[in-house]
Amino acid sequence: MIYYSGPAAKFQTQTSINMPEASIQTILAGEVPTGSPLTIRGWVRTRRDSKAGFSFIQVNDGSTLHNLQVVADQSLPNYASEIRHLTSGCSVRCTGTLVESKGRGQSVELQAAEIQVLGWVEDPDTYPVQPKHHSFEFLRSVAHLRPRTNTFGAVTRVRHATARAIHDYFDRNGYYWVNTPIVTASDAEGAGELFRVSTLDLANLARDEEGNVDFRQDFFGRETFLTVSGQLNVEAFCLAMSKVYTFGPTFRAEKSNTARHLAEFWMVEPEVAFAGLDELGTLAEDFLKSVFTSVLERSADDMAFFVERIESEAVSRLEKLIASPFVRMDYSEAIRILQRSGTRFDYKPEWGLDLQTEHERYLTEQHCQAPVIVMNYPAEIKAFYMRLNDDGQTVAAMDVLAPGIGEIIGGSQREERLEVLRSRMDTEQLESGRYEWFLDLRRYGTVPHAGFGLGFERLLNYITGLTNIRDVIPYPRTPGNAPF
RNA sequence: UCCCCGGUAGCUCAGCUGGUUAGAGCGGGUGACUGUUAAUCACUAGGUCGUUGGUUCGAAUCCGACCCGGGGAGCCA
């Protein structure tokens, strides 16, 4: 399969109204004829000298994985004084003529008539980003400089392309993007520990008559937190706009220190009115396939890089997923399959218990060898807002499991029946006063509806083949770690 | 939070059955050489071996504590 990205190149040309210098992406895409005068700006990756009287400078401007080779001749006035001292990381403005390359490895190069050094690297000896392999661990410690590496440049472009594919998908299908609040008063959305938002003086806390912290004196006049999910808020818009989604930051104060968890991450949550669990499964499948197809088309260069340097299966597994129908099965059936598998699991599969990572991997990687949608989980292990099935034991929840990554989507049909929802909230001992507005949605024109949550960074891990979630977000926030 | 593993030059690592001045590659500097491709070759600078106690004639190496990081688990997206 071959992917080209013509439309993206045209888009770049239009933006050149404000930026007369062509991007390296457009130059290498062949949009600038050889013989043209040309100016580029960017950062030096490497410099190779020839004593015969010129230097080759690889310049990258972030518009593409690839560098443009700038040929600097000794006749340039600052050749000996400046150009011969360029090191990785220096910023330059290069003006000259685009010519066919006399060397192998690139079709065109810039024959420089002028090279202006915009910014030197203060101490080249200690500049952290070198043209060599760095550990991801080290690069995390220089999160402000890692965008200058091939890998993080590619991640940044693919992250953008994926976000755009998500918005495009929903736009094409009649969904509205709803910006749900970051600050919330819901303290028990059932999705994990919350970060408190407060302007109270921690050194001198306001107290009420009983000696408890008096949140009436806090900024919002009540206890508030950072959101752990936009779902509850977006449901209200779903029951007016029919098809909506959130795409924004989400916060969990869980002290989980794993390659799959962030304290601050981005989540995509579509919510569809008049839909049930089956339609939701269909949406999840169509959504993933569409987004993957779009990223493969638009980010072919960067994906090829991931295949070469990060994960050789990065492209083929997306293509495979796009081509395979997702397998659907009930939770009860999944438990039976696991119990009869003859595989020895660390945790025994048992009806009523949640599926462990090892169980999910068996189902999707061994048994089905395809993405699996597991549906209808026991009510006790799922959230209060999920719709109770007629059997009274299970809820209309689903998890989409993908080979090689596990759970990528979790969702459910929502409980739209007022009395059933109220009784489930009682069972979970939720403070009903805080959810009256949520119950209103069931009082006034309630309809069946369903939605799911997708971890954006987990999706990026799956796409890029990078295995640590901290390497697909610009500035990762994890327990004990927010230095940038 | 639990279980493992690790912290040695700017980076990637070796050295760790304790023994004289701690090594390599890359990166930096200098020089040589070539339309070069993470160029090549030579020379050169650069480290209080995470911190802190202890064992010992002697600790990067052994032991304890602490700090930091990574992997796995749980929880989840």
Side-chain angles (χ1 to χ4, degrees), chain A residues 292-306:
Chain A
F292 291 158
T293 302
S294 172
V295 171
L296 286 173
E297 281 174 10
R298 288 181 167 277
S299 303
D301 277 1
D302 292 317
M303 290 305 298
F305 172 81
F306 291 129

Side-chain angles (χ1 to χ4, degrees), chain A residues 198-481:
Chain A
S198 176
T199 55
L200 290 176
D201 181 0
L202 290 178
N204 185 20
L205 277 173
R207 303 280 178 181
D208 63 15
E209 308 76 46
E210 287 158 17
N212 299 315
V213 176
D214 187 4
F215 288 105
R216 289 172 304 184
Q217 296 184 41
D218 207 346
F219 186 87
F220 294 105
R222 66 195 300 173
E223 207 174 0
T224 50
F225 308 91
L226 292 178
T227 184
V228 293
S229 164
Q231 181 204 317
L232 266 45
N233 287 292
V234 90
E235 276 193 42
F237 280 76
C238 176
L239 298 192
M241 314 299 288
S242 297
K243 291 158 123 184
V244 294
Y245 69 105
T246 72
F247 188 170
T250 308
F251 306 87
R252 305 269 168 97
E254 303 280 354
K255 286 196 175 162
S256 47
N257 217 286
T258 82
R260 293 181 300 284
H261 289 86
L262 290 167
E264 176 183 292
F265 63 100
W266 286 60
M267 190 152 66
V268 178
E269 299 169 291
E271 194 76 27
V272 194
F274 317 107
L277 193 61
D278 281 338
E279 289 97 327
L280 191 69
T282 303
L283 171 66
E285 179 171 351
D286 191 49
F287 168 84
L288 287 176
K289 289 179 174 178
S290 168
V291 169
F292 291 158
T293 302
S294 172
V295 171
L296 286 173
E297 281 174 10
R298 288 181 167 277
S299 303
D301 277 1
D302 292 317
M303 290 305 298
F305 172 81
F306 291 129
V307 167
E308 190 186 327
R309 294 291 180 88
I310 305 293
E311 163 59 63
S312 59
E313 305 289 313
V315 166
S316 61
R317 72 180 174 189
L318 292 183
E319 291 174 334
K320 208 181 292 176
L321 186 141
I322 290 165
S324 17
F326 289 16
V327 176
R328 299 188 189 201
M329 67 172 70
D330 274 356
Y331 165 88
S332 301
E333 188 189 347
I335 293 293
R336 277 198 299 276
I337 289 168
L338 291 166
Q339 286 172 338
R340 291 172 189 166
S341 67
T343 305
R344 175 165 297 179
F345 296 108
D346 290 338
Y347 293 83
K348 224 170 116 183
E350 191 180 334
W351 202 98
L353 299 181
D354 214 346
L355 297 178
Q356 301 294 313
T357 303
E358 56 178 342
H359 301 150
E360 296 178 345
R361 294 191 58 156
Y362 175 84
L363 289 173
T364 187
E365 288 166 23
Q366 306 279 312
H367 186 78
C368 299
Q369 297 184 7
V372 182
I373 306 179
V374 181
M375 311 174 110
N376 299 312
Y377 284 78
E380 285 189 7
I381 60 172
K382 290 293 182 182
F384 74 93
Y385 50 75
M386 298 184 175
R387 191 180 195 278
L388 194 64
N389 287 324
D390 293 342
D391 60 16
Q393 303 292 309
T394 61
V395 289
M398 67 161 203
D399 283 349
V400 179
L401 312 177
I405 192 152
E407 183 183 338
I408 194 164
I409 282 178
S412 71
Q413 184 172 343
R414 316 307 190 190
E415 183 54 76
E416 86 281 12
R417 297 163 298 185
L418 179 64
E419 290 314 317
V420 181
L421 181 59
R422 208 201 293 272
S423 95
R424 287 216 64 202
M425 288 172 72
D426 289 345
T427 309
E428 309 253 336
Q429 299 186 314
L430 294 180
E431 213 182 310
S432 63
R434 297 205 161 169
Y435 294 92
E436 278 310 309
W437 67 269
F438 190 64
L439 292 169
D440 270 357
L441 301 174
R442 278 72 183 168
R443 290 193 183 100
Y444 309 135
T446 190
V447 297
H449 59 292
F452 64 72
L454 165 88
F456 184 53
E457 284 78 17
R458 286 187 183 176
L459 185 71
L460 288 171
N461 277 137
Y462 189 66
I463 289 172
T464 60
L466 289 161
T467 53
N468 196 309
I469 199 163
R470 296 162 200 183
D471 299 329
V472 294
I473 189 165
Y475 299 100
R477 270 72 175 98
T478 52
N481 204 331

Side-chain angles (χ1 to χ4, degrees), chain A residues 123-142:
Chain A
D123 180 8
D125 191 35
T126 57
Y127 181 64
V129 181
Q130 299 164 10
K132 69 181 283 287
H133 172 78
H134 289 101
S135 66
F136 291 120
E137 183 181 340
F138 166 71
L139 289 173
R140 276 169 222 149
S141 73
V142 287

